[in-house]
């Protein structure tokens, strides 16, 4: 009765389009992923990004740096990638080791190559409501929106509640929802009576990282629930939503096979988009 919002399914169409677009370029776009340290979750994400890029015929290179890489060396690499004309776009996988100033590194990325959509320029343009077509959007929030659009969710006038206010999900997804004329509430760790907000949500997006935070009693019947959270407990992956019970009263994305594949697909679409923006006559 209620739909499982399948990122695996929706991402297939996006990857299919990216693959078709790639075939039209004389010179293939190239993605570089910079990964510093040895965070186990990042290891998995980075592996998936490289694998999917190669599967659709994109050039993809992983630059893996040791945990003790210093900030200067990382900045030097970012600047070199900015200048390297063979690189269409690149990302710096987060989190970075604690001794590195993340904002400084992200701020050094050329916005035209910022295929994660994390730079102040791209985030700022999103916040200003500048045409989303003209900017590189953060992959995970863009994936959330694409997924809802695929399931024909109408945003206008709907109450969208975002739980979590991170720079990489909560804040940008709230901007995208505003751009679509939803009425947006952002909840966070300082919010009192979370349930009072979530129970009124027509669209509920949760990106916190607390297993099963959102139980069925916190969800309105028939709502669309997108679970962005991932936590590993005893080697098992959990989302922020109690999927087994929530799916009995609302449409819901699972973890895994929900937002994860969408993030990868949107990242690769952004590489194609970056190439088109950099060289509109190349396609
Ligand atoms: N860490 C968690 N999600 C992401 C993402 O989408 N991009 C990067 N660079 N790091 C992340």
């Amino acid at each position: 009765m209620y739909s499982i919002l399948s990122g695996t399914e929706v991402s297939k169409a996006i990857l299919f389009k990216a693959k078709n677009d790639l075939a039209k370029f004389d010179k293939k776009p190239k993605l570089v992923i910079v990964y510093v340290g040895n965070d186990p979750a990042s290891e998995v994400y980075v592996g998936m990004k490289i694998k999917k890029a190669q599967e659709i015929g994109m050039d993809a290179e992983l630059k893996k740096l040791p945990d003790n890489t210093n900030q200067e060396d990382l900045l030097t690499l970012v600047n070199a990638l900015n200048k390297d004309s063979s690189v269409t776009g690149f990302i710096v996988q987060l989190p970075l080791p604690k001794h590195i100033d993340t904002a400084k590194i992200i701020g050094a990325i050329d916005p035209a190559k910022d295929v994660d959509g994390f730079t102040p320029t791209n985030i700022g343009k999103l916040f200003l409501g500048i045409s989303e077509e003209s900017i590189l959007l953060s992959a995970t929030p863009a994936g959330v929106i694409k997924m809802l659009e695929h399931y024909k969710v109408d945003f206008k006038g709907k109450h969208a509640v975002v739980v979590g206010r991170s720079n990489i999900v909560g804040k940008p997804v709230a901007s995208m929802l505003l751009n679509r004329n939803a009425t947006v509430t952002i909840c966070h760790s300082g919010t009192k009576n979370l349930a009072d907000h979530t129970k009124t949500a027509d669209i509920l997006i949760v990106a916190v990282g607390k297993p099963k935070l959102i139980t069925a009693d916190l969800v309105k019947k028939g709502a669309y629930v997108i679970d962005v959270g991932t936590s590993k407990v005893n080697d098992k992956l959990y989302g922020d939503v109690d999927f087994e019970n929530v799916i009995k009263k609302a449409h819901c994305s699972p973890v895994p096979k929900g937002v994860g594949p969408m993030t990868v697909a949107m990242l690769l679409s952004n590489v194609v988009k970056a190439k088109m923006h950099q060289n509109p006559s190349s396609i």
Side-chain angles (χ1 to χ4, degrees):
M1 153 107 176
Y2 296 104
S3 308
I4 297 176
L5 310 175
S6 168
T8 308
E9 280 309 308
V10 183
S11 67
K12 276 185 196 158
I14 295 162
L15 289 169
F16 182 76
K17 179 170 188 318
K19 188 176 179 175
N20 273 346
D21 287 345
L22 276 174
K24 298 178 195 159
F25 291 112
D26 293 337
K27 194 171 180 310
K28 271 187 207 162
K30 179 177 177 182
L31 167 68
V32 172
I33 298 182
V34 179
Y35 164 43
V36 186
N38 36 38
D39 176 69
S42 293
E43 193 96 25
V44 175
Y45 299 144
V46 161
M48 285 191 314
K49 289 170 185 177
I50 296 279
K51 183 169 163 267
K52 276 286 168 214
Q54 288 168 346
E55 265 177 37
I56 65 163
M58 183 180 284
D59 280 345
E61 182 184 338
L62 175 62
K63 287 198 185 293
K64 191 172 184 327
L65 305 175
D67 191 55
N68 63 358
T69 301
N70 69 41
Q71 184 157 308
E72 273 319 297
D73 289 349
L74 188 53
L75 270 177
T76 304
L77 173 61
V78 167
N79 287 322
L81 291 168
N82 284 340
K83 289 200 191 92
D84 185 342
S85 61
S86 75
V87 176
T88 311
F90 64 99
I91 69 166
V92 178
Q93 187 66 28
L94 304 180
L96 287 167
K98 290 205 165 51
H99 64 275
I100 293 175
D101 180 345
T102 300
K104 204 163 190 175
I105 299 298
I106 298 297
I109 297 172
D110 176 353
K113 292 191 175 187
D114 170 29
V115 285
D116 247 340
F118 283 178
T119 55
T121 300
N122 282 319
I123 289 279
K125 286 182 174 176
L126 171 66
F127 195 78
L128 292 172
I130 289 171
S131 154
E132 291 184 7
E133 262 316 298
S134 72
I135 57 181
L136 294 170
L137 295 170
S138 308
T140 301
V144 168
I145 297 291
K146 266 265 187 250
M147 194 138 92
L148 290 167
E149 285 173 348
H150 176 90
Y151 289 97
K152 308 271 183 267
V153 173
D154 178 23
F155 297 94
K156 191 164 183 276
K158 295 283 157 50
H159 186 205
V161 174
V162 178
V163 185
R165 57 176 151 181
S166 69
N167 289 335
I168 66 176
V169 184
K171 285 188 233 172
V173 87
S175 277
M176 290 175 196
L177 290 162
L178 275 178
N179 286 348
R180 287 163 178 74
N181 293 316
T183 300
V184 183
T185 299
I186 306 179
C187 300
H188 46 78
S189 52
T191 298
K192 290 191 178 124
N193 304 323
L194 177 66
D196 289 349
H197 302 284
T198 59
K199 277 200 261 186
T200 67
D202 303 304
I203 299 163
L204 178 60
I205 294 165
V206 196
V208 177
K210 281 196 183 159
K212 298 195 180 187
L213 171 72
I214 304 297
T215 45
D217 55 317
L218 268 68
V219 175
K220 179 170 154 180
K221 199 164 183 294
Y224 282 80
V225 181
I226 304 283
D227 188 353
V228 190
T230 49
S231 320
K232 251 197 177 157
V233 183
N234 298 330
D235 257 9
K236 189 172 179 316
L237 196 62
Y238 289 89
D240 289 345
V241 176
D242 179 8
F243 179 83
E244 284 75 17
N245 292 308
V246 169
I247 195 66
K248 292 175 192 158
K249 69 185 292 198
H251 312 280
C252 187
S253 72
V255 171
K257 301 188 176 181
V259 172
M262 293 300 295
T263 297
V264 178
M266 296 312 289
L267 169 70
L268 302 184
S269 302
N270 265 349
V271 179
V272 173
K273 195 177 185 185
K275 179 87 175 174
M276 289 176 181
H277 288 177
Q278 289 160 21
N279 185 2
S281 62
S282 65
I283 194 159

